[in-house]
Amino acid sequence: MVKVVFPNPFEIDGSWFKGNIHSHSINSDGILNVFQLSFLYKANGYDFLFITDHNKLTDVSEISEKMEDFLVLPGEEINAGKSRVGTEYHILSLNITEEIPKGDPQVIINETLRQGGEAVIAHPYWSALTVEDILNLKGFLGIEIFNTTCEFSIGKGYSTIIWDDLLVRGRNTYGFVTDDVHWHFNPHRPVDACYGYIMVKAEDLTANLIMESLRRGLFYSSTGPKIIDMEVDEESVYVKTSPVKIINFISNSSLGERFTGISNPITEATYRFRGKETYVRVEIEDYEGRRAWTNPIYLEK
Ligand SMILES: [Zn+2]
Ligand SMILES: [Zn+2]
């Protein structure tokens, strides 16, 4: 008998909150200040925003007091260590209280956890990290699977292969879409703001409850399409979506399955487990190439 481990956000009470966990203000190399960033994201339908300046813990207390129905959360993006090819890791330290210095990636993760925060490995593809660079780290909550500014600037937004490389090795971890907004604008490409998002199921819009839901994996990630419902039992996973072109069930090696709307959009699909999967995750794509991702469903023997 298969044991299915998936805290299904669609079956848990609460409300959905839209957020971005990676952004840069004028306190590092962003163009907008924290007020402008917060109003921009609120005006575009987001409910919360983490400010994660490079190697600086930007004070968000003043903006937090002024915003209504919008949560501004503290964080930092920290340069850390060296990969096997000599590039630096970038680590998001979310909801921390004290600035964390540059240094060894594991030390930064540990310090983030000590402060009650959570760590996410930023843009592995852009950083030229391989699965080997990440496998030896412990205690991080997830990795960025899509980063808007990395995609719009140099076409290196997607790190989903590294996610599967970790999952197939039993390193269970969440996938996050982030904007990494700097307000980079350029006439030959779109601006890197208000594109990607995560939808978090939480009881209320508070820092503690959003962090608790992130820890439990009660969210999905998107650059456009919506996931409307999921039903998971010992035999199958069903997903209902906004109209899309593709619904993928991604799993170990040759397992998994793709459903495609050849001439008309599709809005639902069911995958029946074959018995050898250790994880299955859902990835959908609309006709404009925008995607959404659920967190993995784990199957234990
Ligand atoms: Zn970075
Ligand atoms: Zn960044």
Side-chain angles (χ1 to χ4, degrees):
M1 191 70 169
V2 176
K3 185 183 169 213
V4 177
V5 180
F6 182 62
N8 189 341
F10 296 91
E11 288 182 351
I12 284 171
D13 288 340
S15 304
W16 288 104
F17 298 105
K18 181 175 181 176
N20 171 35
I21 66 163
H22 188 166
S23 62
H24 296 277
S25 76
I26 50 171
N27 202 23
S28 60
D29 58 348
I31 303 296
L32 306 179
N33 64 37
V34 292
F35 284 80
Q36 292 165 322
L37 277 170
S38 300
F39 284 118
L40 175 71
Y41 273 80
K42 186 178 182 195
N44 279 278
Y46 287 71
D47 299 298
F48 68 91
L49 179 69
F50 283 86
I51 306 293
T52 53
D53 279 306
H54 294 285
N55 307 300
K56 282 180 185 163
L57 179 57
T58 297
D59 184 0
V60 297
S61 55
E62 192 185 349
I63 178 71
S64 296
E65 283 170 20
K66 292 207 162 102
M67 297 295 288
E68 282 182 25
D69 302 322
F70 189 85
L71 200 58
V72 189
L73 294 152
E76 203 180 334
E77 182 180 22
I78 308 164
N79 293 51
K82 287 271 187 290
S83 73
R84 282 159 199 244
V85 292
T87 50
E88 287 183 304
Y89 297 69
H90 286 191
I91 296 177
L92 296 179
S93 290
L94 305 177
N95 203 37
I96 52 172
T97 52
E98 298 162 43
E99 197 162 282
I100 299 173
K102 294 181 190 180
D104 176 74
Q106 190 61 61
V107 172
I108 289 167
I109 294 169
N110 294 350
E111 176 58 21
T112 302
L113 295 172
R114 192 193 66 77
Q115 293 189 25
E118 293 293 340
V120 173
I121 312 290
H123 46 65
Y125 181 27
W126 184 94
S127 296
L129 302 182
T130 68
V131 66
E132 302 296 331
D133 292 310
I134 301 175
L135 268 179
N136 56 356
L137 297 176
K138 295 184 174 61
F140 60 90
L141 188 65
I143 67 167
E144 287 184 352
I145 52 170
F146 179 87
N147 177 304
T148 301
T149 209
C150 293
E151 180 67 13
F152 287 2
S153 300
I154 59 167
K156 286 189 172 177
Y158 292 92
S159 294
T160 44
I161 291 174
I162 292 168
W163 195 22
D164 287 310
D165 283 346
L166 288 165
L167 294 171
V168 80
R169 287 163 175 78
R171 287 303 304 272
N172 299 351
T173 196
Y174 301 136
F176 290 88
V177 162
T178 78
D179 272 346
D180 196 357
V181 51
H182 292 73
W183 198 255
H184 283 154
F185 58 86
N186 219 301
H188 56 272
R189 60 191 184 222
V191 72
D192 59 359
C194 304
Y195 183 76
Y197 60 91
I198 56 172
M199 290 299 289
V200 183
K201 189 69 152 311
E203 280 176 41
D204 203 357
L205 187 62
T206 70
N208 284 344
L209 291 171
I210 292 292
M211 289 304 293
E212 182 56 28
S213 289
L214 294 183
R215 281 185 195 104
R216 294 172 65 195
L218 299 176
F219 67 94
Y220 73 88
S221 294
S222 181
T223 58
K226 292 187 170 62
I227 295 169
I228 294 167
D229 195 17
M230 283 180 83
E231 290 170 20
V232 184
D233 61 26
E234 287 78 22
E235 295 181 347
S236 63
V237 48
Y238 163 84
V239 65
K240 185 170 173 53
T241 70
S242 56
V244 290
K245 182 181 174 187
I246 293 166
I247 299 177
N248 282 324
F249 295 91
I250 308 277
S251 184
N252 310 65
S253 52
S254 64
L255 297 167
E257 194 160 356
R258 167 172 286 195
F259 295 79
T260 310
I262 303 293
S263 50
N264 293 304
I266 54 175
T267 58
E268 59 183 354
T270 299
Y271 177 72
R272 298 191 74 77
F273 303 130
R274 312 223 168 102
K276 291 196 172 167
E277 299 91 343
T278 61
Y279 77 95
V280 178
R281 61 176 184 82
V282 182
E283 181 173 324
I284 64 176
E285 184 176 333
D286 68 16
Y287 285 86
E288 293 173 2
R290 293 181 171 218
R291 297 188 192 181
W293 298 261
T294 72
N295 276 312
I297 299 157
Y298 300 112
L299 291 95
E300 298 174 356
K301 302 286 181 307

